[in-house]
Amino acid sequence: MSSQNPTAAGAAPVEDTHIDGRKLFTFMCMVFGMFMAILDIQIVSASLSEIQSGLSASSDEIPWVQTSYLIAEVIMIPLSGYLSRMLSTRWMFAISAGGFTAMSLLCSTATSINEMIVYRALQGFIGGGMIPTVFASAYLIFPRAKFNIVSPLIGLVATLAPTIGPTLGGYLTEYFSWHWLFLINVVPGVFVTIAAIILIDFDEPDFSLFEKLDWTGLAGLAVFLGSLEYVLEEGASDDWFQSETILFLTISSSIGAFVFFWRAFTADEPIVDLRAFSDTNFTMGSIFSFTMGIGLYGLTYLYPVYLAGIRDYNALQIGETMFVSGAAMFLAAPLAGRLMSVLDPRAMMGLGFAGFALGTWMVTGITKDWDFWELFVPQILRGVSLMICMVPINNIALGLLPPHMIKNASGLFNLTRNLGGAVGLAVINTMLTNRQDFHYERLSESINGSRHVVTETIAGIAHAYSSLGTAADSAALATISNMVTREAFVMSFADLFLVLTGLFAALLVALVFVKKPQAMGGGGGGH
């Protein structure tokens, strides 16, 4: 009898590998909502100058359109696990999608910079819950044997949305107006909200968690992450600790971090459960996610800065150039899913890290003449490598955790990617400034009147400006100075790409700390 009933004999039950069509459609609707939330960051950043003109904002005020959103979002992401358990996935996601949609509509109606900042902060805070909720749902409702199908989907959305943001933003502002950066969210957002209310039935709410809500820990979390995000976003432009605001918020972030971690380890029901970090693979996956955030958001920032500053591209031209990475990601998604079923995830990550390092190393030879075709192959390598990396990183971090830990772990995991992007941008901006100053000084040393080639070049340029009369010599010197500034700027880009090459090469070494995942057994499908 026991030979006919292996479960009764103590063997593991056979997992049901069937994907329910209703759950799949529901999940696709949720993924679309996440896509809107991630896309919104880059689609707006590509067109801040148009928003500045439309709202008559100053150059000091307009960065807050992004900063307010990012600060609010980074607070919500780790909080989302607790709220999802308290409200249920259905209401957590429906409130996030509905609030994001409503705030998008209000952003499009803003008539002053203050209104826009308030609406953007609310949009980031409310909508930020969609991203980790989708990640958690993927690992709770689908059988683990099907992760090689589901993981490329969320990996594609998480990486594709930031990449095509500049492209879409460029088209919208070129052919319509900046209001459409927000209006484009409204109709899809209404659809996603209604679908969430009607279709999501994965779990039940636990309203008793509201009575146990650790308000002290929540306050610590908000001060810690909110202050940290501001420091990372604005530090480089404010000369770091030379600014009293940056210094004050750094101290505030440290105090908030102390309060948050104290409550995380002492509260009966902490606002964020950190126990997932006791799992080695989750910890390593989070480190990889942090570094991929640097690569994802850093390069999405660097390429447009180069193309605008050196090649004088407009937003539309930049978007069309950046679209190469997005197309490569889209085409690589099925390949990543296929590799998941035949390769050790560590081997996949190794391929991805190596491809990323190769792509950034190729750009270390950058000159002022590089444009679409010189950046074509590096962007393809970046897009393909991101997909090959992100899928196994997601699975290494979340795919093998117990179901009861996944909601909190998903928030932490997504937080690491956002913080990686913020830290990466802060370091990149600081390095760009410092290395440009360094190269400018070195180049200036070689440009002096004792060198015949220098005096000859200045004389030739002055002759070209002879129509200016006595101002010709000054114009020639200004031209030489601009040339030196431009070359120093390009050389600083080359330095940054060399550092990024070393960073991703180092990740290859870090793979030795990742434990080989066990064969995927029961799990997700029944939850």
Side-chain angles (χ1 to χ4, degrees):
M1 181 70 69
S2 62
S3 63
Q4 295 175 349
N5 190 352
T7 302
V14 178
E15 182 188 27
D16 178 11
T17 59
H18 172 69
I19 294 182
D20 181 85
R22 183 175 184 272
K23 284 185 177 179
L24 181 60
F25 177 74
T26 304
F27 182 71
M28 292 293 289
C29 293
M30 295 174 68
V31 166
F32 192 73
M34 181 180 80
F35 179 80
M36 290 194 305
I38 299 176
L39 178 71
D40 195 75
I41 300 171
Q42 293 299 330
I43 198 176
V44 172
S45 68
S47 305
L48 283 177
S49 58
E50 286 80 1
I51 298 175
Q52 180 179 352
S53 299
L55 297 177
S56 301
S58 69
S59 57
D60 292 333
E61 292 171 327
I62 200 62
W64 275 96
V65 173
Q66 283 297 82
T67 303
S68 60
Y69 183 100
L70 294 171
I71 288 175
E73 183 188 52
V74 84
I75 294 170
M76 171 54 79
I77 285 176
L79 181 61
S80 63
Y82 191 95
L83 294 179
S84 183
R85 289 162 53 213
M86 182 173 74
L87 300 173
S88 78
T89 301
R90 167 189 283 171
W91 292 111
M92 176 63 190
F93 196 86
I95 292 170
S96 293
F100 177 86
T101 304
M103 290 305 116
S104 295
L105 182 60
L106 287 176
C107 284
S108 72
T109 66
T111 56
S112 70
I113 187 63
N114 290 333
E115 285 183 6
M116 177 64 81
I117 290 170
V118 170
Y119 297 153
R120 283 288 282 171
L122 290 171
Q123 186 188 31
F125 184 76
I126 303 173
M130 284 192 282
I131 301 167
T133 304
V134 170
F135 272 78
S137 297
Y139 293 97
L140 286 171
I141 66 176
F142 294 113
R144 295 194 173 190
K146 297 298 183 183
F147 283 177
N148 63 321
I149 298 173
V150 178
S151 294
L153 180 62
I154 57 175
L156 177 64
V157 169
T159 53
L160 181 63
T163 304
I164 69 168
T167 308
L168 187 55
Y171 273 107
L172 289 173
T173 52
E174 181 78 13
Y175 296 112
F176 298 99
S177 71
W178 66 264
H179 303 84
W180 282 93
L181 299 171
F182 305 103
L183 288 173
I184 196 174
N185 294 326
V186 174
V187 173
V190 171
F191 167 77
V192 169
T193 304
I194 293 172
I197 295 172
I198 295 174
L199 297 174
I200 297 177
D201 58 357
F202 309 148
D203 51 19
E204 296 296 328
D206 182 2
F207 295 118
S208 66
L209 289 174
F210 184 79
E211 300 172 4
K212 303 175 185 176
L213 187 63
D214 179 18
W215 295 100
T216 304
L218 175 58
L221 174 71
V223 173
F224 166 38
L225 292 179
S227 300
L228 177 62
E229 183 72 24
Y230 180 89
V231 168
L232 293 173
E233 284 288 319
E234 305 296 329
S237 60
D238 289 349
D239 202 17
W240 294 106
F241 299 119
Q242 301 304 311
S243 163
E244 291 183 2
T245 302
I246 295 297
L247 182 60
F248 171 75
L249 288 176
T250 301
I251 296 171
S252 299
S253 181
S254 301
I255 295 172
F258 174 79
V259 172
F260 166 68
F261 285 111
W262 166 56
R263 295 301 297 169
F265 290 111
T266 59
D268 293 334
E269 193 68 54
I271 199 75
V272 178
D273 189 347
L274 301 177
R275 285 178 297 175
F277 284 111
S278 63
D279 183 279
T280 302
N281 276 7
F282 176 78
T283 301
M284 292 306 301
S286 296
I287 292 172
F288 292 144
S289 176
F290 181 91
T291 312
M292 293 309 295
I294 298 175
L296 175 62
Y297 292 106
L299 293 185
T300 303
Y301 170 78
L302 272 175
Y303 283 129
V305 169
Y306 167 80
L307 292 170
I310 302 299
R311 301 298 299 168
D312 202 26
Y313 277 23
N314 61 32
L316 182 58
Q317 290 172 311
I318 291 171
E320 290 171 345
T321 304
M322 295 291 290
F323 187 72
V324 173
S325 284
M329 288 179 197
F330 186 79
L331 295 174
L335 172 65
R338 176 62 181 158
L339 289 177
M340 274 299 297
S341 60
V342 297
L343 278 184
D344 185 321
R346 296 173 300 178
M348 274 189 73
M349 286 189 284
L351 283 173
F353 297 152
F356 213 114
L358 176 61
T360 51
W361 179 78
M362 290 176 68
V363 189
T364 57
I366 193 170
T367 71
K368 65 180 177 61
D369 299 314
W370 280 37
D371 55 17
F372 182 89
W373 290 111
E374 285 79 11
L375 296 173
F376 186 76
V377 173
Q379 286 209 85
I380 289 177
L381 281 170
R382 174 192 174 223
V384 173
S385 300
L386 269 172
M387 277 308 304
I388 291 177
C389 286
M390 286 299 291
V391 173
I393 288 173
N394 294 344
N395 281 1
I396 285 286
L398 299 174
L400 301 176
L401 287 176
H404 69 275
M405 296 178 68
I406 285 180
K407 286 187 177 181
N408 272 311
S410 176
L412 291 170
F413 178 70
N414 281 278
L415 176 65
T416 59
R417 185 176 63 252
N418 281 37
L419 287 181
V423 170
L425 290 177
V427 172
I428 283 169
N429 274 315
T430 302
M431 279 194 65
L432 268 180
T433 301
N434 292 343
R435 296 304 293 176
Q436 184 178 1
D437 292 344
F438 171 81
H439 288 300
Y440 186 88
E441 290 178 8
R442 297 289 83 79
L443 291 172
S444 297
E445 290 171 0
S446 64
I447 300 176
N448 58 73
S450 64
R451 298 185 62 198
H452 176 68
V453 67
V454 174
T455 55
E456 191 176 66
T457 301
I458 292 176
I461 296 173
H463 178 71
Y465 287 128
S466 58
S467 62
L468 298 177
T470 56
D473 289 341
S474 298
L477 290 174
T479 300
I480 291 291
S481 177
N482 290 337
M483 291 170 62
V484 172
T485 300
R486 182 192 63 200
E487 292 304 315
F489 196 38
V490 172
M491 292 170 75
S492 68
F493 275 95
D495 292 346
L496 271 171
F497 280 102
L498 185 61
V499 169
L500 287 171
T501 300
L503 177 65
F504 282 92
L507 290 184
L508 288 168
V509 180
L511 283 173
V512 301
F513 298 104
V514 179
K515 295 178 181 178
K516 182 177 181 179
Q518 301 298 313
M520 289 183 180
H527 299 275

